[in-house]
PDB file of all heavy atoms in Angstrom:
ATOM      1  N   PHE B  73     -15.888   6.304  -2.660  1.00 96.00           N
ATOM      2  CA  PHE B  73     -15.458   6.953  -1.457  1.00 96.00           C
ATOM      3  C   PHE B  73     -14.362   7.973  -1.821  1.00 96.00           C
ATOM      4  O   PHE B  73     -13.685   7.821  -2.820  1.00 96.00           O
ATOM      5  CB  PHE B  73     -14.988   5.960  -0.372  1.00 96.00           C
ATOM      6  CG  PHE B  73     -13.888   5.056  -0.773  1.00 96.00           C
ATOM      7  CD1 PHE B  73     -12.596   5.213  -0.240  1.00 96.00           C
ATOM      8  CD2 PHE B  73     -14.086   3.993  -1.683  1.00 96.00           C
ATOM      9  CE1 PHE B  73     -11.592   4.370  -0.593  1.00 96.00           C
ATOM     10  CE2 PHE B  73     -13.055   3.151  -2.038  1.00 96.00           C
ATOM     11  CZ  PHE B  73     -11.811   3.317  -1.478  1.00 96.00           C
ATOM     12  N   SER B  74     -14.320   9.038  -1.039  1.00 98.00           N
ATOM     13  CA  SER B  74     -13.424  10.142  -1.391  1.00 98.00           C
ATOM     14  C   SER B  74     -12.764  10.690  -0.154  1.00 98.00           C
ATOM     15  O   SER B  74     -13.260  10.594   0.958  1.00 98.00           O
ATOM     16  CB  SER B  74     -14.169  11.244  -2.137  1.00 98.00           C
ATOM     17  OG  SER B  74     -15.218  11.748  -1.323  1.00 98.00           O
ATOM     18  N   LEU B  75     -11.578  11.293  -0.384  1.00 98.00           N
ATOM     19  CA  LEU B  75     -10.811  11.968   0.659  1.00 98.00           C
ATOM     20  C   LEU B  75     -10.853  13.467   0.374  1.00 98.00           C
ATOM     21  O   LEU B  75     -10.554  13.895  -0.728  1.00 98.00           O
ATOM     22  CB  LEU B  75      -9.368  11.474   0.665  1.00 98.00           C
ATOM     23  CG  LEU B  75      -8.419  12.147   1.662  1.00 98.00           C
ATOM     24  CD1 LEU B  75      -8.799  11.797   3.104  1.00 98.00           C
ATOM     25  CD2 LEU B  75      -6.971  11.783   1.393  1.00 98.00           C
ATOM     26  N   HIS B  76     -11.242  14.219   1.378  1.00 98.00           N
ATOM     27  CA  HIS B  76     -11.230  15.681   1.305  1.00 98.00           C
ATOM     28  C   HIS B  76     -10.191  16.198   2.267  1.00 98.00           C
ATOM     29  O   HIS B  76     -10.212  15.810   3.461  1.00 98.00           O
ATOM     30  CB  HIS B  76     -12.609  16.278   1.667  1.00 98.00           C
ATOM     31  CG  HIS B  76     -13.668  15.983   0.685  1.00 98.00           C
ATOM     32  ND1 HIS B  76     -14.117  14.713   0.396  1.00 98.00           N
ATOM     33  CD2 HIS B  76     -14.390  16.806  -0.115  1.00 98.00           C
ATOM     34  CE1 HIS B  76     -15.075  14.766  -0.488  1.00 98.00           C
ATOM     35  NE2 HIS B  76     -15.273  16.031  -0.820  1.00 98.00           N
ATOM     36  N   ILE B  77      -9.320  17.054   1.773  1.00 98.00           N
ATOM     37  CA  ILE B  77      -8.328  17.725   2.659  1.00 98.00           C
ATOM     38  C   ILE B  77      -8.681  19.204   2.668  1.00 98.00           C
ATOM     39  O   ILE B  77      -8.579  19.903   1.636  1.00 98.00           O
ATOM     40  CB  ILE B  77      -6.874  17.506   2.157  1.00 98.00           C
ATOM     41  CG1 ILE B  77      -6.573  16.028   1.998  1.00 98.00           C
ATOM     42  CG2 ILE B  77      -5.919  18.150   3.157  1.00 98.00           C
ATOM     43  CD1 ILE B  77      -5.233  15.761   1.358  1.00 98.00           C
ATOM     44  N   MET B  78      -9.162  19.650   3.809  1.00 98.00           N
ATOM     45  CA  MET B  78      -9.556  21.049   3.943  1.00 98.00           C
ATOM     46  C   MET B  78      -8.343  21.893   4.273  1.00 98.00           C
ATOM     47  O   MET B  78      -7.386  21.394   4.920  1.00 98.00           O
ATOM     48  CB  MET B  78     -10.584  21.217   5.057  1.00 98.00           C
ATOM     49  CG  MET B  78     -11.750  20.238   4.977  1.00 98.00           C
ATOM     50  SD  MET B  78     -12.686  20.417   3.428  1.00 98.00           S
ATOM     51  CE  MET B  78     -13.494  21.960   3.799  1.00 98.00           C
ATOM     52  N   ASP B  79      -8.367  23.185   3.863  1.00 98.00           N
ATOM     53  CA  ASP B  79      -7.253  24.079   4.178  1.00 98.00           C
ATOM     54  C   ASP B  79      -5.918  23.436   3.851  1.00 98.00           C
ATOM     55  O   ASP B  79      -5.021  23.336   4.708  1.00 98.00           O
ATOM     56  CB  ASP B  79      -7.318  24.478   5.651  1.00 98.00           C
ATOM     57  CG  ASP B  79      -6.330  25.535   6.024  1.00 98.00           C
ATOM     58  OD1 ASP B  79      -5.936  26.340   5.173  1.00 98.00           O
ATOM     59  OD2 ASP B  79      -5.916  25.606   7.225  1.00 98.00           O
ATOM     60  N   SER B  80      -5.759  22.978   2.613  1.00 98.00           N
ATOM     61  CA  SER B  80      -4.570  22.242   2.247  1.00 98.00           C
ATOM     62  C   SER B  80      -3.304  23.042   2.478  1.00 98.00           C
ATOM     63  O   SER B  80      -3.265  24.281   2.237  1.00 98.00           O
ATOM     64  CB  SER B  80      -4.641  21.850   0.757  1.00 98.00           C
ATOM     65  OG  SER B  80      -5.771  21.034   0.528  1.00 98.00           O
ATOM     66  N   GLN B  81      -2.262  22.387   2.972  1.00 98.00           N
ATOM     67  CA  GLN B  81      -1.002  22.998   3.297  1.00 98.00           C
ATOM     68  C   GLN B  81       0.139  22.383   2.478  1.00 98.00           C
ATOM     69  O   GLN B  81       0.057  21.208   2.047  1.00 98.00           O
ATOM     70  CB  GLN B  81      -0.694  22.788   4.777  1.00 98.00           C
ATOM     71  CG  GLN B  81      -1.723  23.422   5.691  1.00 98.00           C
ATOM     72  CD  GLN B  81      -1.780  24.946   5.565  1.00 98.00           C
ATOM     73  OE1 GLN B  81      -0.769  25.609   5.615  1.00 98.00           O
ATOM     74  NE2 GLN B  81      -3.000  25.464   5.421  1.00 98.00           N
ATOM     75  N   PRO B  82       1.225  23.134   2.267  1.00 97.00           N
ATOM     76  CA  PRO B  82       2.378  22.568   1.512  1.00 97.00           C
ATOM     77  C   PRO B  82       2.849  21.249   2.125  1.00 97.00           C
ATOM     78  O   PRO B  82       3.334  20.371   1.407  1.00 97.00           O
ATOM     79  CB  PRO B  82       3.402  23.667   1.608  1.00 97.00           C
ATOM     80  CG  PRO B  82       2.613  24.938   1.694  1.00 97.00           C
ATOM     81  CD  PRO B  82       1.416  24.569   2.496  1.00 97.00           C
ATOM     82  N   GLY B  83       2.756  21.109   3.419  1.00 97.00           N
ATOM     83  CA  GLY B  83       3.154  19.885   4.106  1.00 97.00           C
ATOM     84  C   GLY B  83       2.284  18.693   3.777  1.00 97.00           C
ATOM     85  O   GLY B  83       2.639  17.543   4.096  1.00 97.00           O
ATOM     86  N   ASP B  84       1.138  18.914   3.141  1.00 98.00           N
ATOM     87  CA  ASP B  84       0.254  17.844   2.729  1.00 98.00           C
ATOM     88  C   ASP B  84       0.728  17.250   1.375  1.00 98.00           C
ATOM     89  O   ASP B  84       0.156  16.246   0.922  1.00 98.00           O
ATOM     90  CB  ASP B  84      -1.176  18.336   2.534  1.00 98.00           C
ATOM     91  CG  ASP B  84      -1.804  18.831   3.877  1.00 98.00           C
ATOM     92  OD1 ASP B  84      -1.405  18.272   4.914  1.00 98.00           O
ATOM     93  OD2 ASP B  84      -2.643  19.727   3.804  1.00 98.00           O
ATOM     94  N   SER B  85       1.650  17.897   0.719  1.00 98.00           N
ATOM     95  CA  SER B  85       2.157  17.421  -0.558  1.00 98.00           C
ATOM     96  C   SER B  85       2.741  16.004  -0.388  1.00 98.00           C
ATOM     97  O   SER B  85       3.715  15.802   0.349  1.00 98.00           O
ATOM     98  CB  SER B  85       3.226  18.371  -1.126  1.00 98.00           C
ATOM     99  OG  SER B  85       2.672  19.630  -1.362  1.00 98.00           O
TER     100      SER B  85
END
Side-chain angles (χ1 to χ4, degrees):
Chain B
F73 57 110
S74 59
L75 176 69
H76 291 63
I77 306 174
M78 310 300 287
D79 187 26
S80 299
Q81 299 296 312
D84 296 330
S85 297

